Amino acid sequence: MLGRMPPFLLPSAPVSSLDDYLASGGGAGLARAQELGPAATIDELTRAGLRGRGGAGFPVGRKWATVAGQTGTRHYVVCNAAEGEPGTFKDRALLRANPYQLVEGVVIAGFAVGAAEAFIALKASFSREIDAVTRAVTEMQAAGICTDCAVTIVQGPEEYLFGEEKALLEVIEGGAPLPRLLPPYEHGLFATAPQEGWDATEPEPGRRGRAESNPTLVNNAETLSNVPHIMAKGADWFRSMGTAESPGTIVVTVVGDVVAPDVGEIELGTPLSAVIDAVGSGVRPGRRVKAVFSGVSNPVVTAEHLSSPLSYEGFRAIGSGLGAAGFIVYDDTACMVEVARQFSRFLYVESCGQCPPCKTGSGEITRHLDAIEAGVGSTADIESMRAWLEQVTDGNRCYLAVQEQAVIASILRSFPEEFVAHIEGHRCPLPRPVELPKLVDLGDGHATYDARQYRKRPDWTYEPA
Ligand SMILES: Cc1cc2nc3c(=O)[nH]c(=O)nc-3n(C[C@H](O)[C@H](O)[C@H](O)COP(=O)(O)O)c2cc1C
Ligand code: SF4
């Protein structure tokens, strides 16, 4: 691991049985939580300063306290292992390396927020990880470790929005991945309360279940994998790693124009350039890093910021965000207009269209980028793109529209000369292919991207191969 401490989330050899897990100290976190009780468990996590690893970095203790404090007959826990962010493979790497720590984290969460039922949601295509987590749940149930909280594994669709927490709940309930209105802590799984907060009709007499909101805790798979370690070793141990605002380690993915794409656990606060070198083996000889993106969710990090610390505050200071710590690296041979076009097209295709400015705006922005990249664009395309970038987030239910705005506007801002060169030269000056790194597999220094994504249409059907 890059940092002062040995890795604890990603062991060098996979933990492949419950006996191995218990022999290496597994189970101690749940025992400690049960000793402390729910409120003190949440306090310990709050003191540890763990932040959500699914994208937003939200403080975990605060989220658990909010869900635990909501009234309602039933509470639920959901582990988000949908992992759809381009450039990210860390949740699958964690599930392959140690599914037991994740299940223990889920059970501790259930205990802390008062949930008798939990769901672990993964894409149906993640067959290796489904096998690993199913084995872990079965063994732990047989050993009496997760008997207080029933754990169900849910297999979801390929859509990017499946990972969005309000859409994830819809999928668990058997629907399509369309984000609903209210956040999971207000309108949770199987909730029967109206989402608008009021109802024009009187409840039917005797229908007591009508207004149940079922507050639900949704946490990312890496977030929950940290929990048993923190409970077993304490908040001070966790805070001995990383920085004051970003304690602990983080599991990063490094892909794109690097020698050997990979996943690695690093201490938070490590400089970004050192992470690219240590995890991805750096860029190829003679090349230099031009741009780094954390998924397709945050503004671009340009070359002058490569020495920035990889932490929530370090990335905020350079006007970007850590996201799910899946870093897509581009070297000086990559065309930034083509990168913008690929990212915008991905977000356009994946947008669900419930908020018209998001679907229409991302579609229009993609159309202008198509024209500029093809050498038939003009300054009118740039002007129209700028106008759409302002409106694309109007009335947005989820963060996807904000991603389109943040990532595309940042490329326009950081690489204006590349747009001018396309418009004035009527061609792309760097015409090499740029792939969208939606990862299907990653291992032995080789990344496999989802080739089907290029055939996906904006209505979520696929063009024939
Ligand atoms: C379009 C979109 C896709 C997302 N995909 C994922 C995902 O695949 N996995 C994930 O953990 N979070 C994803 N998120 C973030 C979740 O909505 C949610 O914030 C997260 O699961 C909360 O967990 P955390 O607090 O542990 O980070 C996505 C968000 C958006 C807007
Ligand atoms: S913001 Fe976009 S992706 Fe999110 S719910 Fe609205 S239309 Fe769908």
Side-chain angles (χ1 to χ4, degrees), residues 45 64 134 159 178 214 273 293 389 400 412:
L45 275 176
W64 287 30
T134 306
E159 271 68 51
L178 304 175
N214 300 349
S273 53
F293 294 84
L389 282 168
L400 186 146
L412 265 170

Side-chain angles (χ1 to χ4, degrees), residues 30-335:
L30 178 60
R32 176 87 181 119
Q34 285 165 338
E35 210 177 285
L36 288 175
T41 296
I42 296 177
D43 285 349
E44 189 69 9
L45 275 176
T46 306
R47 275 204 321 116
L50 173 66
R51 297 172 66 161
R53 304 291 194 238
F58 193 82
V60 174
R62 206 191 308 161
K63 192 186 263 191
W64 287 30
T66 305
V67 174
Q70 295 281 100
T71 52
T73 320
R74 275 181 299 277
H75 289 57
Y76 291 96
V77 168
V78 171
C79 168
N80 190 346
E83 191 154 69
E85 189 68 25
T88 305
F89 200 75
K90 48 108 180 176
D91 293 333
R92 278 165 283 178
L94 280 167
L95 277 162
R96 289 179 186 186
N98 186 354
Y100 300 93
Q101 62 188 359
L102 181 143
V103 178
E104 190 180 348
V106 168
V107 176
I108 295 172
F111 172 73
V113 305
E117 226 181 317
F119 296 82
I120 300 175
L122 313 85
K123 291 199 166 72
S125 59
F126 296 178
S127 47
R128 252 178 89 174
E129 295 74 21
I130 292 169
D131 288 350
V133 76
T134 306
R135 189 186 65 231
V137 169
T138 311
E139 283 181 64
M140 289 167 96
Q141 272 165 349
I145 296 174
C146 54
T147 43
D148 291 341
C149 184
V151 180
T152 304
I153 293 159
V154 176
Q155 302 186 26
E158 274 309 299
E159 271 68 51
Y160 181 42
L161 279 171
F162 171 40
E164 198 280 336
E165 59 185 10
K166 301 191 297 302
L168 189 74
L169 300 194
E170 290 285 312
V171 172
I172 295 171
E173 291 176 8
L178 304 175
R180 51 205 203 193
L181 278 172
L182 297 178
Y185 70 90
E186 281 181 350
H187 190 85
L189 271 176
F190 315 113
T192 48
Q195 285 199 67
E196 293 81 8
W198 59 276
D199 205 339
T201 52
E202 282 295 312
E204 293 160 42
R207 280 223 33 206
R208 287 192 43 221
R210 192 174 172 88
E212 293 290 354
S213 60
N214 300 349
T216 298
L217 173 75
V218 180
N219 270 135
N220 166 259
E222 181 184 350
T223 312
L224 290 165
S225 296
N226 271 281
V227 167
H229 299 279
I230 294 172
M231 292 317 297
K233 297 180 205 127
D236 293 336
W237 163 80
F238 192 70
R239 281 203 167 275
S240 71
M241 298 171 284
T243 70
E245 278 188 61
S246 310
T249 66
I250 190 162
V251 182
V252 303
T253 316
V254 179
V255 296
D257 295 340
V258 290
V259 174
D262 207 350
V263 173
E265 183 177 356
I266 61 124
E267 193 171 341
L268 278 151
T270 308
L272 176 60
S273 53
V275 173
I276 294 170
D277 290 345
V279 179
S281 305
V283 289
R284 293 178 188 89
R287 299 270 66 99
R288 58 178 182 78
V289 176
K290 185 195 238 182
V292 182
F293 294 84
S294 72
V296 296
S297 304
N298 288 287
V300 59
V301 176
T302 49
E304 72 265 31
H305 293 307
L306 284 179
S307 57
S308 300
L310 201 156
S311 62
Y312 295 99
E313 67 279 15
F315 266 55
R316 193 175 55 232
I318 56 171
S320 188
L322 270 193
F327 296 104
I328 309 167
V329 178
Y330 291 108
D331 71 20
D332 48 345
T333 63
C335 167

